[in-house]
Amino acid sequence: MSVVIDGLTVRFGGVTPLDGVTVTFEPGTNGIIGPNGAGKTTFFNVLSGFVNPASGSVHAFGDDLLGMAHYRRARWGLRRTFQTEQAIEELSAAQNVAMVLENTPGSGSAGSRREAALDALEFVGVDVNPDEPVGTMGARERRLIEVARAVVGTPRVVMLDEPAAGLPDEETEHLGRVIQRIPDETGALVILVEHDMTLVSACCAVTSVLDFGKLIATGPTDEVLRNEHVIKAYLGAEDAELEGVIGNE
Amino acid sequence: MSTATSTPDATPRLRRSAPGLQTREIRSLIFVAILLIVALAVLPQILSVYWVTICTAVAYYSVVAGGLGLLMGRVGLVSLGQIAVLAVGAWIACKLSFSTSLPFPIVLLVTGLITMVLGTIIGLPALRLSGLYLALITLMLAGAITVALRTMQFPNGGPGFLGNDPNQSDPVRRPAIALTDVAYFRYTVVICLILFAIALWHVRGRAGHAWAAIRQSEPAAIAAGVNITLYKLWAFALASFMTGVAGGLLAGDVQRLYAITFTTQQSIILLAVVLMGGIYSLWGGIIAGIFYSLVPALLNNWGVAADWLTILFGVGVLQVLLTAPGGLSQQFPRDMKNLYGLITGKKRKERQAMQAPPGGEAGAPRAAVSDGPDQSGVVE
């Protein structure tokens, strides 16, 4: 029940955003950190099927993920959120979340899909009228609705791409509590890409570090955050936030 | 998500009941009913046969415009070939009318289905192209179809597969219940209503949700499991089906068809009127149908040269693109609401309370409504 990535390489012309990444994600919440441009989002995009890798393989729970058509991966249970939130403005909150189920064959009647969508909205703790168009809602609500869309039904791998970006601190705390509950309550394996080290420390038992497309460290989060290569990679990128976290430890 | 009970402390409980009909929807339904009564009962009483025939054209061109609006407004696909698709539908209906003895509704249905297959094939480039390039490809295909039709002409009871005999012209059959122009008008309105209902059913359902996602963000759509290839073709199929049936209605309406009436330029005019009517609502299709068929007839009646029409539509499209991206179908209800506000004086009092400088009659209402809820339900 793990996600095994072997020798994943992506090339855009002369640039190599991912260079032979080999890593295994175990059930629970796995963090990925790294300076800007390290290849974190490209990594998610390969798993989502938006980018085709030059070489390498991804096996999720024993299934060959790269052999699946991209839209079938969501049906398989691979879910994600985006760095810039992508809730569909024209649709209501309930429709946004139920959409995943609508496109999954054998996911029950319209009524049961709606129930599942409302369950997911309650799970992420968003207090909205589920039948209002998302376009009228604030950034916090949209972000949580997107997370609800990622956990509705039976997710197997949930990828969160900087879910705390642009959120105020108290909202980040709430989001952290939601993320911590995803593995236990849905059984999904969570991969969290985040710059907010407090959130990563709070949610992830294991963290991997990408720098210039290469995996430079992986292991228990507190150890990884003390790793000198990691500190160097971050200080090189002058990420004051991490410096602060490391300084506290 | 089987464990709804384990929600933590401060989690709000959401309203579980399924949403009933909203006030806006009830208002729309009432409006449709009134419009239907007016169209079916009142118009044939007060209009001459000539104007009733014009109204028949308004009805089926509304469907063509509705199909194009669906492609553009819902999925973001620009097609400049819809009049060619309409011509194909009309050709198939003529062919079926002369070569078979199928009853008229079946002719319409089969025409719609065949046009749907052909239109979907035309839509295949849409899987690879978008925006300007898709518009160009569809325009060129439309040109090709127009040229082919010029040579083939429409079946008119002649021999052979093409069925065209230049020396004779039998009229296309009409349904037995709608032989007169007035009865055929009523028949057309009912068929068009069914087509709009089918379109609405798609827009409100699974396909509509998928289209909304595709239009806003293809990555987000894929991440939600939407097969974007399927749903883009689906949109082309639905629009082509509607246009094909409209072509069948057109064939029964004019009865003797000539390729000269379907020019490539008409497809561009259609795009202009669809933009003016509004691409985000099916009402826009009806407004576009009025612009496309009724306005030229009116200008003709008043002795205004047809060239003015192109200028009028050009200005209209500019106005829409600059001030009202949702077209008249969004702007008109908003303006009516403002007008109502002005008449009741409610808005005026509010403005006085806010000590805003007294504005002109045209400029003031728009500002007054910006705080009201958006009528359309579509957020730009």
Side-chain angles (χ1 to χ4, degrees):
Chain A
M1 297 293 273
S2 54
V3 179
V4 183
I5 286 125
D6 189 24
L8 201 62
T9 301
V10 173
R11 288 198 186 89
F12 296 145
V15 189
T16 310
L18 282 182
D19 192 357
V21 173
T22 298
V23 62
T24 298
F25 296 116
E26 297 295 340
T29 304
N30 299 265
I32 299 181
I33 61 171
N36 286 327
K40 306 183 296 291
T41 296
T42 306
F43 179 73
F44 273 6
N45 284 345
V46 171
L47 265 59
S48 296
F50 303 155
V51 171
N52 286 323
S55 62
S57 69
V58 178
H59 285 89
F61 300 5
D63 294 328
D64 178 15
L65 208 58
L66 299 181
M68 267 181 241
H70 48 28
Y71 62 88
R72 288 193 197 281
R73 298 183 196 183
R75 301 175 182 182
W76 174 88
L78 180 85
R79 307 285 180 72
R80 73 172 289 178
T81 67
F82 293 85
Q83 213 165 352
T84 47
E85 149 282 313
Q86 298 281 4
I88 307 303
E89 296 185 347
E90 201 181 308
L91 304 180
S92 74
Q95 285 169 341
N96 256 283
V97 178
M99 199 163 84
V100 179
L101 300 177
E102 275 180 351
N103 289 289
T104 308
S107 59
S109 66
S112 68
R113 288 198 297 263
R114 183 183 159 79
E115 281 299 310
L118 294 181
D119 286 346
L121 285 169
E122 280 177 358
F123 175 79
V124 299
V126 59
D127 187 13
V128 292
N129 177 354
D131 301 309
E132 283 280 311
V134 167
T136 61
M137 294 172 188
R140 169 189 186 270
E141 282 74 23
R142 289 164 174 235
R143 183 70 75 174
L144 288 172
I145 287 166
E146 205 191 14
V147 175
R149 194 167 63 191
V151 299
V152 70
T154 48
R156 291 160 94 172
V157 176
V158 175
M159 307 189 292
L160 305 170
D161 194 353
E162 295 191 28
L167 287 185
D169 285 350
E170 64 270 23
E171 300 303 344
T172 306
E173 278 173 33
H174 170 79
L175 190 70
R177 286 194 295 275
V178 172
I179 295 171
Q180 283 167 351
R181 282 166 40 229
I182 294 177
D184 289 341
E185 299 203 18
T186 70
L189 186 157
V190 178
I191 308 176
L192 172 70
V193 161
E194 191 46 77
H195 277 305
D196 187 324
M197 293 306 152
T198 329
L199 188 63
V200 173
S201 308
C203 298
C204 309
V206 179
T207 294
S208 307
V209 188
L210 280 174
D211 189 28
F212 291 111
K214 286 197 165 78
L215 191 77
I216 59 168
T218 186
T221 303
D222 47 348
E223 283 177 29
V224 165
L225 291 183
R226 279 197 295 270
N227 183 309
E228 59 175 309
H229 296 294
V230 177
I231 295 169
K232 217 167 120 190
Y234 261 95
L235 290 184
E238 291 178 55
D239 193 309
E241 199 175 16
L242 180 72
E243 202 179 345
V245 171
I246 294 166
N248 291 339
E249 282 180 355
Chain B
M1 218 28 78
S2 52
T3 48
T5 45
S6 59
T7 44
D9 36 302
T11 302
R13 295 292 298 177
L14 295 169
R15 191 163 57 84
R16 285 273 149 172
S17 58
L21 281 178
Q22 315 275 312
T23 8
R24 204 180 68 226
E25 291 168 331
I26 293 169
R27 224 184 294 150
S28 291
L29 277 178
I30 294 171
F31 193 62
V32 169
I34 294 172
L35 209 65
L36 256 185
I37 292 167
V38 170
L40 294 179
V42 181
L43 284 186
Q45 302 295 325
I46 58 171
L47 295 179
S48 68
V49 171
Y50 171 74
W51 289 106
V52 168
T53 319
I54 297 289
C55 289
T56 311
V58 168
Y60 54 72
Y61 275 111
S62 294
V63 170
V64 180
L68 179 57
L70 193 118
L71 278 180
M72 288 175 62
R74 297 289 157 186
V75 206
L77 300 167
V78 183
S79 166
L80 282 176
Q82 291 309 104
I83 294 295
V85 177
L86 179 75
V88 167
W91 194 94
I92 295 167
C94 287
K95 175 75 190 161
L96 290 171
S97 169
F98 289 113
S99 307
T100 67
S101 55
L102 293 171
F104 196 77
I106 305 294
V107 168
L108 287 182
L109 183 66
V110 175
T111 302
L113 292 175
I114 298 176
T115 316
M116 183 174 88
V117 174
L118 295 174
T120 313
I121 294 171
I122 293 179
L124 282 176
L127 301 180
R128 293 278 168 197
L129 303 169
S130 61
L132 182 63
Y133 298 103
L134 179 62
L136 267 178
I137 288 287
T138 51
L139 183 66
M140 284 167 173
L141 275 169
I145 291 170
T146 313
V147 170
L149 278 179
R150 288 273 164 83
T151 350
M152 287 160 59
Q153 286 301 339
F154 284 88
N156 60 0
F161 176 75
L162 294 179
N164 183 267
D165 182 349
N167 300 318
Q168 76 172 71
S169 68
D170 292 342
V172 173
R173 273 187 288 132
R174 277 183 183 179
I177 53 163
L179 291 174
T180 66
D181 283 339
V182 171
Y184 191 76
F185 165 69
R186 292 199 175 103
Y187 187 89
T188 303
V189 168
V190 171
I191 299 284
C192 291
L193 185 76
I194 295 171
L195 289 170
F196 270 110
I198 293 174
L200 190 67
W201 182 67
H202 277 91
V203 166
R204 302 291 292 270
R206 179 184 304 192
H209 300 162
W211 290 333
I214 291 171
R215 186 158 64 90
Q216 188 181 321
S217 155
E218 288 193 7
I222 295 167
V226 172
N227 182 347
I228 52 175
T229 309
L230 174 77
Y231 281 105
K232 278 184 177 177
L233 283 181
W234 188 326
F236 263 102
L238 177 62
S240 306
F241 177 79
M242 291 168 67
T243 312
V245 175
L249 290 169
L250 180 146
D253 176 35
V254 297
Q255 296 193 297
R256 291 178 178 83
L257 286 87
Y258 302 98
I260 196 87
T261 48
F262 301 96
T263 62
T264 310
Q265 192 197 345
Q266 295 300 104
S267 288
I268 298 168
I269 299 277
L270 183 76
L271 177 69
V273 295
V274 166
L275 281 173
M276 284 160 70
I279 53 176
Y280 301 115
S281 140
L282 289 175
W283 289 110
I286 294 169
I287 297 172
I290 292 172
F291 274 123
Y292 190 89
S293 304
L294 184 62
V295 173
L298 283 174
L299 289 185
N300 191 30
N301 195 38
W302 297 331
V304 180
D307 290 342
W308 281 100
L309 198 68
T310 319
I311 297 170
L312 182 76
F313 287 168
V315 173
V317 169
L318 266 181
Q319 188 269 343
V320 162
L321 293 183
L322 291 177
T323 67
L328 287 175
S329 60
Q330 252 178 51
Q331 199 180 19
F332 188 68
R334 207 166 53 191
D335 288 349
M336 283 299 107
K337 208 174 143 201
N338 294 341
L339 192 65
Y340 176 77
L342 274 181
I343 291 167
T344 54
K346 197 174 126 205
K347 298 280 177 189
R348 198 174 299 165
K349 273 178 204 158
E350 274 177 20
R351 266 210 315 281
Q352 278 168 357
M354 289 164 70
Q355 298 208 326
E361 283 195 3
R366 188 164 297 166
V369 163
S370 57
D371 53 344
D374 191 26
Q375 285 261 312
S376 64
V378 177
V379 182
E380 295 309 313

